[in-house]
């Protein structure tokens, strides 16, 4: 396992905030409004102590200093954030109107990008205070804001991928047959934490017919000899995400099960080899889908080929038909084709991939061959 990376500095956060303000201006927006959530953590290093109905809002606009509006009782925590030296805090007290505090910071007739998880309560409050303003979600207005990772972010993503790989290698050693899916899922969660994850986001264990549901939640089904088992797990390590999938078999698989697994493995490999700067996100999806369709399973590949990953385990860009955004070095995303046969079994194979100057690099490196477990 790699060591703990150096923490991000106030300069790092300042550069991110400046980049966001420039991107907003280039997109024709008056600025960016960021509520508590992953965008705020990425831009400032600040996460409020708990979900709260009190307004907390980062205001970014080209040509003006960043301002974080916070409740007075939470200002001491905000002042401790790593990015605090790069911004101005403006607090408001209970009983006062937080929108009156925020309104002077905004262009009264501007159009703003707003973080996706902003509360409707606060957006409506701003609209009431500034009726000529308009808003667009960051996913729509600035979808690539967090998409291109720098070297320090890539280091964290690689460490998360390494921990997920170690988890997979260990789970192959446990008993599957005769145990509930939920028990194996618990093993996965324990292993992710053992290998340094601070947060476990999902541990999918889809055995037999449950594997035909891509987002099956591990339940009480007892895994049997002869089952195909889809394993999909990940979370956050050092604040950055992991997400990998492998499909194993309890005992010796049938010829058909091997064939379906081979088709998915070959599709995943072909899609990975297609990754390079300049191609569109949809082209990665097209390559994987074409291989599975040619094998006769096109209607059983029922989800996109991939999603971005960073401070969250699912974020833009998305590898799906219609997404024409070109790949750029530093982008990180999953490549995870699958085939799902209802009532029978499913197969999915997933790696996190980052775009390099001349191709792609996998951040998951465990075997993609079908493993036989017991």
């Amino acid at each position: 396992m790699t060591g703990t990376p150096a923490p991000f500095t106030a300069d790092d956060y300042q550069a991110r905030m400046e980049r966001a303000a420039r991107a907003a201006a280039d997109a024709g927006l008056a600025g960016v409004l960021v509520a508590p959530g992953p965008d705020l953590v990425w831009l400032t290093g600040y996460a409020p102590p708990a979900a709260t109905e009190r307004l907390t809002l980062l205001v970014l606009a080209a040509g003006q200093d960043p301002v974080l509006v916070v409740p007075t009782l939470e200002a001491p925590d905000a002042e401790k954030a790593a990015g605090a030296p790069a911004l101005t805090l403006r607090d408001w007290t209970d009983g006062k109107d937080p929108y009156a505090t925020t309104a002077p910071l905004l262009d009264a007739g501007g159009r703003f990008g707003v973080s996706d998880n902003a509360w409707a309560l606060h957006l409506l409050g701003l609209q009431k205070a500034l009726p000529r303003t308009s808003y667009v979600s960051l996913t729509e207005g600035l979808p690539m804001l967090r998409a291109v990772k720098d070297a320090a972010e890539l280091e964290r993503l690689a460490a998360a991928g390494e921990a997920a790989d170690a988890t997979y290698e260990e789970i192959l050693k446990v008993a599957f047959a005769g145990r509930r899916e939920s028990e194996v899922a618990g093993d996965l969660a324990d292993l992710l934490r053992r290998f340094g994850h601070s947060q476990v986001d999902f541990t999918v264990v889809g055995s037999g017919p449950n594997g035909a549901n891509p987002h099956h939640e591990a339940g009480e089904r007892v895994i049997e000899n002869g089952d195909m088992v889809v394993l999909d797990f990940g979370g956050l390590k050092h604040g950055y995400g992991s997400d990998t999938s492998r499909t194993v078999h309890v005992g010796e698989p049938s010829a058909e099960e091997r064939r379906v697994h081979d088709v998915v493995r070959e599709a995943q490999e072909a899609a990975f080899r297609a990754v390079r700067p300049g191609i569109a996100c949809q082209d990665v999806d097209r390559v994987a889908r074409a291989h599975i369709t040619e094998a006769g399973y096109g209607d059983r590949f029922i989800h996109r080929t991939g999603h971005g990953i960073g401070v969250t385990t699912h974020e833009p860009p998305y590898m799906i038909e219609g997404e024409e955004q070109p790949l750029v070095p530093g982008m990180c995303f999953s490549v995870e084709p699958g085939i799902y046969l209802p009532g029978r079994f499913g197969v999915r194979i997933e790696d996190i991939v980052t775009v390099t100057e001349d191709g792609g690099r996998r951040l998951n490196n465990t075997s993609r061959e079908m493993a036989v477990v017991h």
Side-chain angles (χ1 to χ4, degrees):
M1 293 288 106
T2 53
T4 302
F8 293 120
T9 66
D11 289 342
D12 294 324
Y13 291 114
Q14 181 175 2
R16 291 176 185 177
M17 288 189 280
E18 290 174 351
R19 189 169 95 192
R22 286 196 305 271
D26 292 344
L29 299 173
V32 178
L33 307 179
V34 185
D39 291 316
L40 186 63
V41 172
W42 183 76
L43 286 162
T44 69
Y46 176 54
T52 175
E53 74 283 0
R54 294 181 175 92
L55 177 72
T56 295
L57 198 69
L58 176 68
V59 180
L60 302 176
Q64 72 181 51
D65 292 337
V67 177
L68 181 61
V69 178
V70 295
T72 300
L73 78 167
E74 293 172 10
D77 293 307
E79 290 170 352
K80 297 174 185 174
L87 51 79
T88 298
L89 288 180
R90 186 161 299 182
D91 65 319
W92 61 276
T93 58
D94 281 355
K96 302 294 185 181
D97 181 356
Y99 311 110
T101 300
T102 309
L105 306 173
L106 276 56
D107 176 347
R111 181 169 176 78
F112 293 87
V114 181
S115 52
D116 294 1
N117 54 344
W119 284 29
L121 171 73
H122 299 317
L123 194 57
L124 292 169
L126 287 173
Q127 286 181 314
K128 185 176 180 180
L130 298 168
R132 293 191 296 113
T133 53
S134 59
Y135 305 91
V136 61
S137 72
L138 286 186
T139 289
E140 181 181 347
L142 295 176
M144 296 297 110
L145 180 61
R146 303 194 324 249
V148 178
K149 275 65 180 179
D150 62 25
E153 291 182 293
L154 289 173
E155 178 186 2
R156 286 162 168 78
L157 283 161
E162 183 182 8
D165 283 357
T167 294
Y168 176 67
E169 297 288 0
E170 289 297 313
I171 204 68
L172 294 180
K173 302 173 184 178
V174 311
F176 278 71
R179 301 177 69 212
R180 292 180 174 86
E181 292 174 339
S182 58
E183 293 177 279
V184 177
D187 291 340
L188 285 169
D190 290 344
L191 287 165
L192 284 169
R193 294 188 184 97
R194 183 203 300 178
F195 293 118
H197 278 61
S198 59
Q199 177 176 311
V200 176
D201 285 351
F202 47 87
T203 51
V204 173
V205 179
S207 65
N210 289 339
N213 175 0
H215 282 170
H216 170 70
E217 292 190 7
E220 295 307 297
R221 183 182 186 274
V222 175
I223 301 169
E224 302 174 355
N225 190 56
D227 279 348
M228 195 85 90
V229 185
V230 178
L231 306 172
D232 184 351
F233 50 94
L236 300 183
K237 178 175 181 177
H238 305 316
Y240 280 75
S242 68
D243 187 0
T244 189
S245 300
R246 296 290 186 263
T247 303
V248 302
H249 197 276
V250 186
E252 288 301 315
S254 68
E256 181 191 20
E257 289 169 330
R258 284 196 180 278
R259 177 174 182 270
V260 172
H261 192 279
D262 284 346
V263 170
V264 174
R265 179 177 52 78
E266 292 160 2
Q268 206 264 356
E269 177 69 19
F272 165 69
R273 291 190 177 279
V275 171
R276 62 183 182 277
I279 72 163
C281 292
Q282 67 181 4
D283 292 333
V284 179
D285 182 82
R286 287 173 174 176
V287 168
R289 205 165 297 279
H291 185 84
I292 290 175
T293 299
E294 184 178 352
Y297 295 99
D299 62 340
R300 306 278 31 112
F301 179 13
I302 55 177
H303 56 72
R304 64 197 176 201
T305 293
H307 57 81
I309 191 168
V311 293
T312 58
T313 48
H314 289 74
E315 63 186 43
Y318 298 103
M319 307 301 115
I320 186 63
E321 183 67 31
E323 180 51 80
E324 298 179 352
Q325 168 68 39
L327 300 187
V328 176
M331 281 184 177
C332 293
F333 49 85
S334 66
V335 177
E336 51 176 306
I339 292 174
Y340 307 94
L341 305 180
R344 301 184 62 206
F345 64 88
V347 175
R348 182 165 64 259
I349 300 172
E350 173 186 16
D351 295 323
I352 298 303
V353 171
T354 183
V355 184
T356 64
E357 294 297 329
D358 57 2
R361 175 169 68 96
R362 283 186 167 106
L363 301 187
N364 295 109
N365 295 290
T366 55
S367 173
R368 283 162 287 278
E369 299 290 336
M370 188 195 302
V372 173
V373 296
H374 302 286

